[in-house]
Amino acid sequence: MKQAGVGVGRKLLVASAIVLGTWTAVAQSGEHGGVPESGDPSLQGWLLPDTPPYPAGNEPTEERIALGKQLFFDPRLSGDGNMSCATCHNPMFGWSDGLPTARGHKSMVLKRATPTIVNAAYNTIQMWDGRKKDLEDQATGPLETSVEMNADFKRMFEFLNLNQGYKRAFEKAYPGEGINKQTIAKAIASYERTIVSNDSPFDRWIKGDKDAMTEQQVRGFRLFVDPAKGNCAACHSAPNFTDNGFHNVGLASSAGENADPGRYAYKPIKILKGAFKTPTLRDVALTAPYFHDGSAKTLMDVVEHYAKGGEVKEHLSPNIRKLDLSRQEKEDLVAFMEALTSRHEPVTLPKLPLN
Amino acid sequence: MNHIKTVATAALLVISATATAAEYEVTQKNKAFSVKELNIKVGDTVKFTNQDSFFHNVFSLSDLKTFDLGSYPKGEYKKVTFDKAGKVEVECAIHPSMLMTINVE
C-alpha cells in the first residue's frame, strides 16, 4: 500500500487517498466545498471494477451462471418446496424483500432484514454479522438454516440427481465435480456475481458526464463525503459505499439485554456489541426499509437518525455524532443516494428443469 | 542506556528503546496495519497509532495475549507490552480485513 511521498503531484496524492478510502486530503484541498468536479482523476477510486473478483476454481462461465440462476430461483430446494433464494432476495425489491425483517420457514418472522445481494460480490465479508467470508461460503447458509429455507439436504440431493436437466447442467458447469454442497454454492455464487450495480448517474458523473447528476445530487455528494457535515463516507466508503466494517449505529432496538448482539457474537470485543456490517448504498433507493432491523421506512428517516446522532448511545460507533445539517442538506443527501441506482437490464426468469 | 534500533520497514519506527526492551510503532492507515508481521523480543512494547481519519479498535484474542485497546481516532495511540514468547494475532474490530501477526521471541 503506497504512502504519498515528497514530490508527488497534488492530484495523484488526492487520488491515492480516495482509492484507499479516506477523504481527508480531498476535503481539505478541493474546491466547491471539498469535492473536485465531475471526471476529476482524484474521484476515480469511487468506480467499481466492471466485474467482481472470484475465487480460484470458480471462474464464472455461461454454464455456471445459468445453473446458478436456476438454483437461485428454484423453490423445490427448500424444505417445503415453496421458498427459493429469490423469495427473500427478490429482484422486484432490489434483490431484498421490501419487509422490515425477513419471513422464513412457515412464514416465521426473522430478526434481521434481508440484505440486498446487489454488489455482495464486491464485499470482502458476508452477512450482517460477518459470519461468512465469501459468496461460496454464504450461498448454502439459508438452505441449511431451519428458520429459513429449512432444506433437507438428503432429499435435495436425491431430487437434483434424479433430475436429468439438473444433472446435465451440473456436468456442463462443473465437469466431474458432481452435485454436492460445494458445486451448488459455487453455481449460486457465480450467478450472484452477475447482480451488479456500477452504472448509476453517480458513476457516469464520476467518469466525466457532468450532467449525469443534478446540482442537488452533487451537493449531496459533497455533504456525504465531508467529515464536518454528513461524514457518511467514514463508513460508506469508496468504491462500494461500504468499509466492510462493523458499527453499532444506535438504533432503538439495540437497547436492553435481549438486543441482537450482531458481530459481538463472533468477536466478543466491546465495540462490537450491537454492531452490524455497513451495507452498500448502491441501488439503495430500491431496497427500503432500511437498517438491519428494518426500522427506517425511507432514506430521509435514515438521514434523520444519523443527524441526531443515533437513538441509543451505549456502544455507539464513535464515528456517529450529532450532525449539523439543515433540512435542505438532508434532502440533498437523499437526492444523492437516489443517484446511486444503476440502469439494469430487465431480469428474465430461468426455465427450471422439471425432471 | 538508550539506543535506537533500525528496522528495515520504513513504516515501522522505533520510538525509544532501552538496553533490554525496545519500542516499535505500528500505524493504522488506509484500513491496514503498516506491517503484516513484526518480530520482537519478550519485554518489547508496540505502540499502535491511528493515522486514518476514522476510528480503529485494535485487539487480540490470541491465547498468548488478550487485549482490547478500545476505539481511538486519528493521531492517538495505545501501547502494549508483550511479556511472553509466541505468536500474537492482532486485528481491528471495526475493520476485519486488518490483520497482523506479532512474533515474540
Side-chain angles (χ1 to χ4, degrees):
Chain A
M1 202 160 285
K2 285 184 181 175
Q3 301 212 355
V6 176
V8 176
R10 187 181 188 85
K11 277 186 175 175
L12 185 59
L13 193 149
V14 170
S16 65
I18 299 173
V19 166
L20 296 166
T22 63
W23 190 258
T24 313
V26 175
Q28 291 168 349
S29 67
E31 296 175 6
H32 308 287
V35 178
E37 293 296 340
S38 168
D40 194 283
S42 68
L43 293 173
Q44 303 311 301
W46 283 96
L47 295 176
L48 284 161
D50 288 343
T51 53
Y54 57 86
N58 199 26
E59 184 178 353
T61 63
E62 206 175 304
E63 292 79 10
R64 289 172 179 178
I65 293 166
L67 171 61
K69 187 174 186 178
Q70 288 179 313
L71 295 168
F72 189 90
F73 281 96
D74 197 333
R76 295 171 296 179
L77 304 188
S78 66
D80 279 357
N82 62 354
M83 275 188 90
S84 69
C85 305
T87 302
C88 295
H89 300 287
N90 187 334
M92 293 187 288
F93 291 109
W95 302 92
S96 182
D97 55 14
L99 298 169
T101 62
R103 291 293 184 104
H105 179 60
K106 307 289 187 198
S107 215
M108 267 186 275
V109 179
L110 308 184
K111 64 181 179 180
R112 295 178 188 165
T114 300
T116 182
I117 55 167
V118 169
N119 287 5
Y122 292 101
N123 291 343
T124 54
I125 191 164
Q126 303 291 337
M127 312 294 284
W128 280 115
D129 54 22
R131 67 183 185 274
K132 303 287 188 183
K133 66 179 192 307
D134 57 25
L135 290 178
E136 279 78 1
D137 192 21
Q138 183 277 331
T140 55
L143 279 164
E144 292 170 275
T145 305
S146 61
V147 296
E148 296 187 29
M149 294 171 77
N150 193 36
D152 176 342
F153 272 71
K154 186 168 174 287
R155 191 200 59 77
M156 185 177 79
F157 288 133
E158 280 170 8
F159 160 71
L160 292 171
N161 275 296
L162 287 171
N163 186 302
Q164 294 308 307
Y166 268 127
K167 273 192 84 166
R168 278 195 298 274
F170 271 93
E171 188 51 33
K172 274 190 193 169
Y174 298 100
E177 292 187 45
I179 299 177
N180 50 54
K181 210 180 277 188
Q182 286 70 38
T183 47
I184 290 171
K186 283 159 74 171
I188 293 173
S190 296
Y191 177 58
E192 288 178 320
R193 290 195 174 93
T194 68
I195 301 164
V196 160
S197 172
N198 61 8
D199 182 29
S200 65
F202 170 69
D203 293 298
R204 296 196 290 280
W205 185 85
I206 291 287
K207 287 174 184 169
D209 178 358
K210 62 181 174 32
D211 297 324
M213 290 208 291
T214 66
E215 282 181 23
Q216 184 185 23
Q217 288 169 332
V218 174
R219 287 200 306 270
F221 178 46
R222 289 172 187 149
L223 294 163
F224 189 92
V225 297
D226 186 347
K229 296 299 286 184
N231 196 32
C232 316
C235 303
H236 293 285
S237 50
N240 199 23
F241 289 82
T242 174
D243 57 358
N244 285 292
F246 296 85
H247 307 268
N248 180 322
V249 297
L251 301 177
S253 67
S254 65
E257 284 183 9
N258 295 324
D260 189 338
R263 180 68 170 162
Y264 186 79
Y266 298 91
K267 293 276 180 185
I269 300 298
K270 196 175 162 195
I271 190 70
L272 296 178
K273 278 189 179 165
F276 294 84
K277 197 181 70 184
T278 309
T280 181
L281 297 184
R282 289 179 175 274
D283 277 9
V284 71
L286 307 178
T287 63
Y290 302 107
F291 293 134
H292 75 270
D293 63 358
S295 59
K297 284 187 181 169
T298 65
L299 288 172
M300 183 54 85
D301 291 346
V302 174
V303 171
E304 293 285 6
H305 172 84
Y306 286 125
K308 64 184 170 191
E311 290 277 347
V312 175
K313 309 298 181 188
E314 197 183 9
H315 308 303
L316 182 68
S317 164
N319 286 329
I320 293 171
R321 60 172 192 274
K322 195 171 183 304
L323 301 173
D324 174 25
L325 294 173
S326 67
R327 180 73 197 173
Q328 180 64 55
E329 288 171 328
K330 291 173 185 172
E331 287 172 3
D332 293 350
L333 279 167
V334 171
F336 169 63
M337 287 188 276
E338 288 169 347
L340 300 178
T341 306
S342 286
R343 294 180 288 207
H344 293 289
E345 293 292 319
V347 176
T348 58
L349 296 176
K351 196 173 270 186
L352 299 181
L354 291 177
N355 45 51
Chain B
M1 174 191 152
N2 289 340
H3 71 275
I4 301 295
K5 184 186 260 184
T6 305
V7 179
T9 310
L12 191 68
L13 301 173
V14 176
I15 302 306
S16 67
T18 66
T20 54
E23 184 170 295
Y24 296 80
E25 184 177 35
V26 173
T27 63
Q28 296 90 63
K29 192 168 173 57
N30 303 320
K31 281 185 274 178
F33 288 110
S34 53
V35 287
K36 287 273 181 201
E37 200 154 351
L38 175 64
N39 297 319
I40 64 171
K41 304 281 187 207
V42 171
D44 288 350
T45 296
V46 179
K47 174 181 176 181
F48 295 96
T49 308
N50 183 1
Q51 293 186 346
D52 271 329
S53 58
F54 38 82
F55 283 75
H56 288 297
N57 189 121
V58 177
F59 78 96
S60 178
L61 296 177
S62 295
D63 292 340
L64 190 76
K65 184 89 180 171
T66 299
F67 58 88
D68 175 7
L69 302 185
S71 301
Y72 47 97
K74 185 173 187 171
E76 293 192 10
Y77 61 84
K78 299 274 177 75
K79 295 180 182 182
V80 181
T81 299
F82 294 84
D83 41 19
K84 285 183 195 162
K87 185 179 277 197
V88 181
E89 306 285 345
V90 180
E91 305 172 53
C92 169
I94 300 168
H95 307 105
S97 59
M98 291 176 61
L99 301 166
M100 71 164 296
T101 304
I102 297 178
N103 300 307
V104 190
E105 294 154 2

